[in-house]
Amino acid sequence: MPWLESQVHGLVWVPTTFGLEPRWSFEPDIEAIKQTLQLLRPSSTVEVNFLGQGAFNKLYDVKLDDEMLIMRISLPVDPRYKTMSEVATMDWVHRTTDVPVPSVVSYQSSRNNVIGFEWILMSKMPGKPLAETWRSLSFAAKSRLVMEFAAYSSSLFRNQLRGIGNIYERSPLVENSASTEESAPTREQAEVPVFTSQDTECSARAVPEVSRIVSTQFFWGSHIYQDIYRGPFSSSKDWITARLTLSEYDCHSILAKYPAVDDLDSDDEVEVEDSTRTLRIIGRLRSLLSLVFPSNNPDPEPSIIFHDDLSRHNILVSKGGELAGVLDWECVSALPLWRACYYPSFLEGVPRHLEPNIGRYHREGNGEPSDLYWDHLWEYETTILRDMFIYEMKRLEPGWVEVFNTSQLQRDFDIAVQNCDNELVARHINEWIEDITTGKVNLRSLRDRIDEA
């Protein structure tokens, strides 16, 4: 893949104790960023300061005269597609919901520019992360936030798409860019099929295309080079099969390093044992695919845009607790209804039905209760807020709740696929598979088994 290899320059995958991590082999240059911004606004005064970074991005505070913006420069983990999809996703959420998301000022999905990386210039959202304000917010303010996310979920449910993958603008190669150099579309881009939705609240002209998926499992490490279909997937079964195939590839790659298993050191033995165990789980999951995901409909499966990292760090709120912004729309895919009709991730957690008694917790030197108290209070409050979220969804969108109530088996299967290589979860997965295989009545969910362990 010569084209792909040239596009991932600047990205290095580094082995760590906890697996591979993406790293920058060279840093974006501040002067190149300023030069790019000056081309966009020739008469403006430009200021640029490093703000922080995420797993795949570096963030920069940008001031153009008196306008405050954010520039997000991306590692080429999935060249072109990640940037194009992120821009289309923010636009779609802006058009179909009332959730405040960044507005894109300009972007470049090719690295053929003076910065040398793909980038997005967007508005800077006000507020502070919910993680920093949760302790000081009233429960009433938290309840209002939950109601807003219920309305958001309802809006996306009413604007369903078709097929599983990521969304793109109708003409993804035409973009507002400071660069005049564009790479020609690859053979893969030219031939990839797309699914479009016909029955939505938005006009057909405005509905984005569902096409190639941009997801961490599909580009992590060497996965980006694997010859595997990347969507759009017409069914849940096809999507999950592709994910299991990638996990299988990892196992076979490890086992291929050890053709002789008689003389292995302890670390090598662990690798071989882990891969062998994972392959057995994958085989068992494959045998259940048709049972859990019968694919009788030849049409592409309905899907919804699903932000799977609506954590307290990606939700911005004002001082009074009003929702001010939702961040981090990269790798947000159109997923099947059974997966998308679920709580926002900031509401997930272990249930706690009794309010913690603050008097029973250790006090810090400043008189504040210990972090353990706040953790337990968080679990207690989110237990109540989850019920409030479902109650509001029943009022707004009964169809969403029906999917939610009937999809635990599919969600558990998804958890098993995500964790098939996790030694700590393997026993629970195998016991859950055994119960399904033997037709056990009142099947205990895999989610509960893991949470209660």
Side-chain angles (χ1 to χ4, degrees), residues 27-245:
E27 298 285 324
D29 180 61
I30 290 283
E31 290 305 315
I33 297 173
K34 290 180 178 178
Q35 182 181 344
T36 299
L37 295 168
Q38 205 71 71
L39 288 171
L40 287 171
R41 302 277 183 85
S43 60
S44 294
T45 300
V46 176
E47 293 182 27
V48 178
N49 292 289
F50 178 74
L51 179 61
Q53 69 180 66
F56 311 127
N57 300 282
K58 288 186 181 291
L59 302 175
Y60 297 83
D61 261 327
V62 170
K63 186 176 182 182
L64 295 179
D65 294 330
D66 293 327
E67 185 179 7
M68 299 303 300
L69 302 169
I70 294 290
M71 177 170 272
R72 187 145 100 162
I73 299 178
S74 294
L75 277 171
V77 289
D78 196 346
R80 298 180 62 87
Y81 292 100
K82 187 171 81 68
T83 297
M84 290 191 294
S85 177
E86 184 175 358
V87 170
T89 300
M90 287 189 288
D91 177 64
W92 176 246
V93 172
H94 173 72
R95 288 191 285 122
T96 56
T97 79
D98 291 328
V99 166
V101 298
S103 298
V104 175
V105 176
S106 183
Y107 72 100
Q108 172 60 278
S109 64
S110 166
R111 63 181 311 156
N112 296 331
N113 58 74
V114 294
I115 298 174
F117 292 99
E118 300 173 31
W119 53 264
I120 301 175
L121 182 66
M122 63 187 82
S123 59
K124 184 171 185 176
M125 305 299 288
K128 291 185 177 182
L130 182 59
E132 297 178 15
T133 60
W134 185 268
R135 293 184 183 184
S136 62
L137 289 181
S138 68
F139 189 77
K142 297 169 186 175
S143 302
R144 289 194 297 271
L145 281 174
V146 168
M147 297 300 103
E148 289 195 72
F149 278 101
Y152 154 81
S153 297
S154 175
S155 295
L156 289 177
F157 186 80
R158 291 196 299 269
N159 287 282
Q160 294 179 22
L161 302 164
R162 285 286 177 176
I164 301 162
N166 278 54
I167 62 172
Y168 300 85
E169 296 175 352
R170 290 290 181 174
S171 300
L173 294 177
V174 178
E175 57 188 276
N176 178 18
S177 169
S179 171
T180 58
E181 297 181 31
E182 273 294 347
S183 300
T186 64
R187 184 169 181 266
E188 181 183 20
Q189 288 172 306
E191 294 184 355
V192 67
V194 296
F195 298 144
T196 59
S197 177
Q198 299 298 323
D199 302 320
T200 65
E201 286 191 341
C202 293
S203 66
R205 180 192 63 79
V207 175
E209 297 172 339
V210 176
S211 188
R212 183 187 191 278
I213 199 163
V214 178
S215 172
T216 53
Q217 187 175 6
F218 282 82
F219 62 65
W220 199 262
S222 62
H223 287 186
I224 193 67
Y225 298 106
Q226 299 312 307
D227 184 16
I228 187 171
Y229 184 66
R230 298 171 186 274
F233 302 99
S234 61
S235 68
S236 294
K237 184 177 180 181
D238 293 342
W239 173 50
I240 288 176
T241 296
R243 293 162 62 195
L244 289 173
T245 299

Side-chain angles (χ1 to χ4, degrees), residues 273-284:
E273 289 172 3
D274 287 349
S275 297
T276 303
R277 181 194 64 245
T278 300
L279 283 174
R280 285 198 296 266
I281 291 176
I282 291 172
R284 301 187 76 185

